[in-house]
Amino acid sequence: MRDPNRANRYPLRRRQVVEHLVTDMDDLLVVAGLGAPTWDATAAGDRDLTCPLWGAMGGTAMIGLGLALARPDRRVLVVTGDGDMLMGLGSLATVALQRPANLSVVVLDNERYGETGMQATHTAGPTDLAAVAHACGFEQAATLHDEEELDRATPAILEGEGPLFFAVKVRAEAPPLVLPPRDGAHLKDRFRMALIGTE
Amino acid sequence: MTDSPPTWPADIHAALKALGVRHVPCVPDAGHARLIELCRNDDEMRVVPLTTEEEGVAMLAGSWLGGRRGVLLMQSSGIGNCVNMFSTVRVGRYPLLTLIAMRGQWGEANPWQMPMGRNAAAILELSGFQVLGLDDAGMAAETVSAGGRTAFEANEMVAVLVSQRLIGSKAFAPTEDG
Ligand SMILES: Cc1ncc(C[n+]2csc(CCOP(=O)(O)OP(=O)(O)O)c2C)c(N)n1
């Protein structure tokens, strides 16, 4: 029997996972999915080269794809939630078909819709996101359960040949909100200014 | 009249090229078939097949973040798949140029195409688009260039509705079969 509360005991903590991936990676281009992943990315540093989303549910991986195809010279990291990824499952097929070598998709899989009251997502049930990604054509797709697995996967996430997909099982918890600016136009303009020197 | 293929798809392709469009996400429509082929054969363009049109809306926001221009090709039914993602473009003042092959208009024989076809322009306008109609093959390049300029230079959402009259309506059965 699957334990519906197992995610309450997962050892990895979402804030540490994001901090671990982003800290000191000044050149990394980050797209953060709506809700908690955006708060996590902001807690790791309100950086110009992070595009934090306050909406666009289901679109985070595709924003990452557009960016990765536009800038093949830079590593793009998509950090998002399992709820967001489930809404855009088709995008895994679209990304895999393009084979962007510089794109890594990391899903913080707490098996919950955290932002809306911790309702169980499909990954609390039978759905295995890494298996979906693999079946869509991601040659490297895996689920990470603890610090040792995360450490072992980190070089691939930050430098490996993409597209890469990792579902990181993180504890179902709601750390304090750390909010980025809300104005989407400002977030876009500062990103472009930092990356290409123009609005 | 000869049966030589129409030149408006090539005119649109040339206009897109002049605008610097590189990314071409799309869900195919018969009305865009020739244009998609021209983009596929263009080494400077990247056609990105989507599983649903909203992916293209999100993708082009990412393309713009990285400094690339794109165009989303879809048929009118696809508008309905995009509505929430249009909010991201609007709130972020991202440019968005989309060329929409219309169904549910001139001589439509599939009743399932009617609701989205009828509502296309209204939904787009409610979502914040400038909507440009394209009924006349001779205006294709001009319309796409004007739309592109507004999208990429004024950071606007612009939809060009390619009329079914221009594309031709799809036949499902010879009339003698009823
Ligand atoms: C189209 C749409 N549907 C529903 C919502 C409401 N909503 C906001 S955040 C969220 C849950 C996101 O869950 P997940 O991606 O797993 O992130 P978590 O907070 O669990 O890390 C939902 C359903 C929304 N913003 N947009």
Side-chain angles (χ1 to χ4, degrees):
Chain A
M1 260 290 282
R2 200 175 279 114
D3 171 8
N5 294 318
R6 61 187 175 168
N8 297 336
R9 297 184 299 276
Y10 286 155
L12 284 171
R13 317 291 293 269
R14 52 188 313 139
R15 284 280 152 92
Q16 279 92 319
V17 172
V18 176
E19 204 180 278
H20 167 77
L21 292 175
V22 173
T23 304
D24 296 332
M25 296 297 295
D26 294 345
D27 290 340
L28 188 67
L29 309 181
V30 179
V31 183
L34 87 167
T38 269
W39 321 146
D40 299 334
T42 308
D46 179 29
R47 48 202 292 287
D48 290 356
L49 290 178
T50 293
C51 180
L53 300 170
W54 287 78
M57 187 166 176
T60 315
M62 286 305 300
I63 296 174
L65 175 64
L67 182 55
L69 295 180
R71 291 304 300 256
D73 57 320
R74 299 288 284 259
R75 172 68 39 166
V76 176
L77 174 66
V78 168
V79 185
T80 194
D82 44 307
D84 172 72
M85 198 67 252
L86 285 161
M87 194 172 278
L89 279 185
S91 62
L92 291 171
T94 299
V95 169
L97 185 62
Q98 296 306 314
R99 301 182 61 89
N102 56 332
L103 180 64
S104 300
V105 178
V106 169
V107 173
L108 302 168
D109 185 2
N110 62 354
E111 305 180 358
R112 302 283 186 279
Y113 294 103
E115 205 54 33
T116 49
M118 286 288 176
Q119 300 90 348
T121 65
H122 309 57
T123 62
T127 304
D128 176 343
L129 286 172
V132 173
H134 191 257
C136 283
F138 280 73
E139 279 162 31
Q140 276 220 62
T143 304
L144 310 177
H145 302 87
D146 56 34
E147 203 171 322
E148 196 196 324
E149 291 178 0
L150 177 66
D151 282 342
R152 233 183 302 133
T154 301
I157 295 170
L158 297 175
E159 297 161 2
E161 181 163 344
L164 299 130
F165 181 95
F166 292 97
V168 184
K169 291 288 183 180
V170 295
R171 186 172 302 182
E173 60 178 340
L177 299 184
V178 183
L179 307 180
R182 285 163 214 242
D183 179 358
H186 166 67
L187 292 166
K188 170 205 67 183
D189 290 342
R190 75 175 194 179
F191 189 105
R192 275 172 56 94
M193 195 55 86
L195 182 63
I196 57 183
T198 174
E199 286 184 2
Chain B
M1 275 274 298
T2 64
D3 276 351
S4 63
T7 62
W8 61 266
D11 298 342
I12 290 180
H13 171 257
L16 292 173
K17 215 168 157 59
L19 285 164
V21 162
R22 299 290 186 84
H23 291 172
V24 187
C26 63
V27 175
D29 177 77
H32 281 321
R34 179 74 191 127
L35 177 59
I36 292 170
E37 194 185 321
L38 289 163
C39 295
R40 268 202 186 285
N41 291 334
D42 185 328
D43 289 342
E44 286 189 330
M45 292 191 181
R46 183 161 188 149
V47 174
V48 176
L50 308 168
T51 71
T52 174
E53 290 82 354
E54 68 175 306
E55 290 176 5
V57 178
M59 180 189 141
L60 290 180
S63 304
W64 183 255
L65 281 177
R68 279 267 183 257
R69 295 179 175 193
V71 66
L72 172 60
L73 306 181
M74 61 170 143
Q75 81 158 227
S76 41
S77 321
I79 297 165
N81 290 353
C82 294
V83 175
N84 183 55
M85 210 58 77
F86 288 153
S87 329
T88 299
V89 176
R90 189 173 194 180
V91 81
R93 286 189 51 76
Y94 285 85
L96 177 59
L97 177 64
T98 178
L99 308 186
I100 299 172
M102 289 304 299
R103 296 289 307 269
Q105 292 184 324
W106 184 264
E108 180 60 67
N110 177 356
W112 298 53
Q113 288 285 356
M114 297 310 295
M116 277 306 304
R118 276 210 185 100
N119 292 332
I123 293 171
L124 290 166
E125 273 161 10
L126 283 171
S127 304
F129 279 85
Q130 180 188 62
V131 178
L132 303 177
L134 175 57
D135 296 305
D136 171 358
M139 291 290 291
E142 231 177 302
T143 309
V144 170
S145 302
R149 237 180 2 259
T150 301
F152 300 123
E153 290 175 36
N155 280 18
E156 283 287 331
M157 305 161 75
V158 180
V160 175
L161 307 190
V162 184
S163 158
Q164 200 162 356
R165 194 165 171 184
L166 192 60
I167 296 165
S169 53
K170 184 168 168 180
F172 288 94
T175 37
E176 57 269 28
D177 288 352

